[in-house]
Amino acid sequence: MSFLSPSSSSSSRNFVLFLHIRHLCSFPPPSTSISAEKSKLQSEHDPDKALAIYSSLSPRLSSPVSSRYALDLTVRRLAKSRRFSDIASLVEAQKTHPQITQEPFLSSLILAYGRARMPHQAIQTFLDMDRLGTPRSAVSFNALLTACNHSQSFDQVPHLFSQITHDYKIKPNKISYGILIKSLCELGQPESAISILNQMKERRIEITVVTYTTLLDSLYKKGEIEAAQKVWNEMRDNGCSPDVATFNVRIMRAAINEKPDDVLKVFDEMLVLGLKPDVVSYNYLMTCYCKNGRMGDAKRVYEGLKEKGCLPNAATFRTLLHYLCRNGDFDVGLDVFRASAKRGKIPDFGTMKSLVEGLVKSEKLEEAQGLIAEVKKRFPDRSLDAWKKLERKLRLTGT
Ligand SMILES: *[C@@H]1O[C@H](CO)[C@@H](O)[C@H](O)[C@H]1NC(C)=O
C-alpha cells in the first residue's frame, strides 16, 4: 500500500536518493565523535540540518536506544515543520536496515510515526512485520498503542486492542491495558474502562495508580460521583495508594462543584496520608476562593505558595490575574503581572488586555505603557498587531 500522496512522491524519491548519496560518500571526518554529533543533533532545530546530521550519524549507531533517540529527535524537527512526506521517506528507508527483523528496532519506527501523529503509517508498519520477517510480541503491540495515544487516535485503540490480541495471540500487559483505559476515558466511556479494570483483576495484571487516576478523572468530569467513589475504595482495597495526582482529581471536582471548605477537607485527607499538596492542588483551591468571592483568601494562597515549597505556574498567574481584574483590583494585578514576567509566564492576551484597560481607566497610563512594552519585548511575535490596535484604541503612545 502506498501512503505517499502523488504530489509528494517525486520529492520523496529525491530525498531517499539524497540519503543514499550521503550515506555513500560523505562519512564525516574521523575527528567528529559520535557523541559530539549526538549533541549537535539535540541542539539543531532546523529540520534540514537535523536531517543531514541524522543521515551521517544513524549508520554508525549500534545501540537501539541511541538509534531510537536520534530518529525521534529528527522526526520531531520535521513534524514541527509539517514535513510529513519527508518523515515517511525517512522512516520507510529504515525498513531496509539489517536490524529490521529485531522487534525493538521496528517498534522505534512505529513510535516515530506516533511522534509525528501519523497513526495510519504506524498501523501499516505493524502490519508490515509479516513481510519484513519481524516477530511480534507485546513490545510492538505497545508501541502501536503508544503511537495511537500520541496521535490522539483514541478511537483506534479499543478496536486494535481486540483485533490484534485475537489475530496474533499477543498477551496484553499493564502498559497495553493502561493505554486502553486511557483511550476509553478520552472517548468519554469510563463505564467501559471499569469493565476493563475488572478484566485486569481477573487476569491478575497490576493496575497502576496512574491508571486509577485516569479513570477517576474521567468519572469526576462526567459527574459520576458514586462510580468514582466505588473505584476510589476499590483502589485502596487493591493495595494501591493514591498519590498527589489522584487527590488532585478529587480536588478539581470539589473546587468546581463545592465550596472552599470541601476543598480544604480533601487537603486534610492528603496531609493525614503524608502527601503534600502541589501547585496544581493550590491552584484549584485559589480558583475556588476566587469563584466564591473570597479574593483575600485567594491572594493568601498565592502569597503562601513559596512557603509551601511550590512555585506558581502559568495557570496560577492567569487565574489570579483574571479574577483580580474582574474585581477591579488592578494594583495587585500589576504585581501579579510583574511576577509572571519574572518567571517567563505572562498570561494570555485576553487577560492582559483587561489589566491594561483597567490601568488606563484608573489613570495609570505609565504603568499600562510599561506593561505593553515589557510584553512586546518578551514576545515580539505574540499578538503584536493586537497590542498595537489596543494601544491606538486606548490612545497610548506605542513603543
Ligand atoms: C499518552 O500521551 C500523553 C501525551 O502525549 C502522555 O502524557 C501520556 O503519558 C500517554 N499515556 C499513556 C498511557 O501512555
Side-chain angles (χ1 to χ4, degrees):
M1 190 194 93
S2 168
F3 46 79
L4 294 170
S5 67
S7 62
S8 67
S9 65
S10 85
S11 75
S12 302
R13 258 197 305 278
N14 290 341
F15 174 74
V16 172
L17 194 64
F18 156 78
L19 277 183
H20 195 62
I21 291 169
R22 271 205 71 96
H23 190 108
L24 291 177
C25 53
S26 71
F27 275 106
S31 61
T32 0
S33 74
I34 290 189
S35 72
E37 279 199 60
K38 271 198 221 162
S39 56
K40 225 167 83 191
L41 180 59
Q42 203 164 16
S43 55
E44 184 55 72
H45 285 259
D46 179 276
D48 287 308
K49 288 182 189 153
L51 257 177
I53 300 171
Y54 178 79
S55 59
S56 88
L57 181 62
S58 73
R60 291 177 296 142
L61 293 174
S62 50
S63 111
V65 176
S66 301
S67 299
R68 177 185 323 175
Y69 183 65
L71 181 65
D72 191 68
L73 270 178
T74 312
V75 165
R76 275 190 214 211
R77 305 299 182 240
L78 288 167
K80 210 155 184 205
S81 319
R82 309 186 57 79
R83 305 238 315 244
F84 300 113
S85 70
D86 284 342
I87 293 171
S89 307
L90 179 65
V91 178
E92 291 306 304
Q94 304 291 315
K95 291 186 183 172
T96 57
H97 195 287
Q99 281 184 22
I100 197 66
T101 52
Q102 293 174 24
E103 197 184 11
F105 181 85
L106 186 135
S107 300
S108 70
L109 307 188
I110 295 177
L111 291 170
Y113 275 134
R115 180 65 70 194
R117 301 189 170 209
M118 298 166 78
H120 297 294
Q121 285 82 349
I123 295 170
Q124 187 55 50
T125 303
F126 185 84
L127 297 174
D128 281 346
M129 292 173 82
D130 295 312
R131 174 173 70 79
L132 296 168
T134 318
R136 290 187 183 87
S137 76
V139 172
S140 49
F141 177 50
N142 287 346
L144 181 58
L145 298 183
T146 303
C148 290
N149 175 46
H150 277 152
S151 336
Q152 302 195 306
S153 305
F154 302 114
D155 53 338
Q156 296 274 3
V157 172
H159 167 70
L160 288 172
F161 196 98
S162 62
Q163 197 173 347
I164 291 172
T165 52
H166 174 266
D167 290 358
Y168 302 102
K169 308 274 176 282
I170 289 174
K171 265 213 179 103
N173 59 22
K174 68 176 176 187
I175 297 171
S176 339
Y177 274 110
I179 299 171
L180 176 60
I181 288 184
K182 155 106 199 270
S183 302
L184 290 168
C185 291
E186 289 282 349
L187 294 168
Q189 300 168 19
E191 310 80 14
S192 312
I194 291 176
S195 71
I196 299 294
L197 215 58
N198 295 332
Q199 220 180 81
M200 290 175 79
K201 271 186 275 182
E202 274 165 31
R203 298 188 184 176
R204 295 179 189 282
I205 290 167
E206 185 200 346
I207 305 168
T208 64
V209 67
V210 175
T211 295
Y212 276 119
T213 302
T214 305
L215 180 53
L216 286 165
D217 182 53
S218 177
L219 289 169
Y220 281 124
K221 279 185 181 149
K222 271 193 107 178
E224 299 192 15
I225 309 309
E226 255 174 66
Q229 193 58 49
K230 243 176 97 183
V231 170
W232 185 281
N233 294 338
E234 232 178 72
M235 166 178 69
R236 305 295 307 264
D237 294 345
N238 223 358
C240 180
S241 313
D243 59 15
V244 177
T246 325
F247 272 101
N248 279 344
V249 305
R250 262 181 69 194
I251 290 174
M252 169 200 69
R253 149 88 202 163
I256 293 171
N257 296 286
E258 295 167 48
K259 297 275 170 225
D261 284 349
D262 301 300
V263 177
L264 288 172
K265 271 185 212 148
V266 189
F267 272 65
D268 287 341
E269 252 185 77
M270 291 176 81
L271 293 171
V272 168
L273 291 176
L275 291 172
K276 273 174 65 175
D278 63 8
V279 64
V280 176
S281 331
Y282 286 112
N283 281 350
Y284 284 128
L285 177 62
M286 189 185 77
T287 308
C288 191
Y289 277 134
C290 289
K291 284 202 301 195
N292 282 271
R294 290 168 63 176
M295 290 308 293
D297 288 316
K299 280 187 262 183
R300 271 187 285 282
V301 171
Y302 168 71
E303 283 155 9
L305 281 176
K306 209 169 161 191
E307 193 184 309
K308 300 275 196 323
C310 297
L311 283 172
N313 63 16
T316 318
F317 294 123
R318 177 170 20 92
T319 307
L320 185 58
L321 191 54
H322 170 81
Y323 281 100
L324 286 169
C325 290
R326 262 177 53 168
N327 284 281
D329 196 349
F330 302 110
D331 287 336
V332 178
L334 193 57
D335 291 340
V336 171
F337 158 71
R338 286 187 179 131
S340 78
K342 226 186 240 167
R343 309 237 317 114
K345 298 189 189 309
I346 294 179
D348 60 290
F349 177 76
T351 308
M352 296 298 300
K353 181 170 174 262
S354 326
L355 179 59
V356 170
E357 286 171 342
L359 289 169
V360 170
K361 228 188 277 167
S362 29
E363 305 194 346
K364 303 214 155 144
L365 298 185
E366 221 170 281
E367 283 85 347
Q369 252 155 2
L371 184 158
I372 296 179
E374 171 88 18
V375 176
K376 280 189 187 164
K377 193 177 84 198
R378 290 204 185 229
F379 302 103
D381 311 326
R382 197 166 97 177
S383 313
L384 196 57
D385 289 339
W387 280 115
K388 284 188 179 151
K389 215 170 120 194
L390 186 65
E391 280 177 321
R392 279 197 298 276
K393 189 178 139 215
L394 298 173
R395 297 173 195 284
L396 294 169
T397 35
T399 38

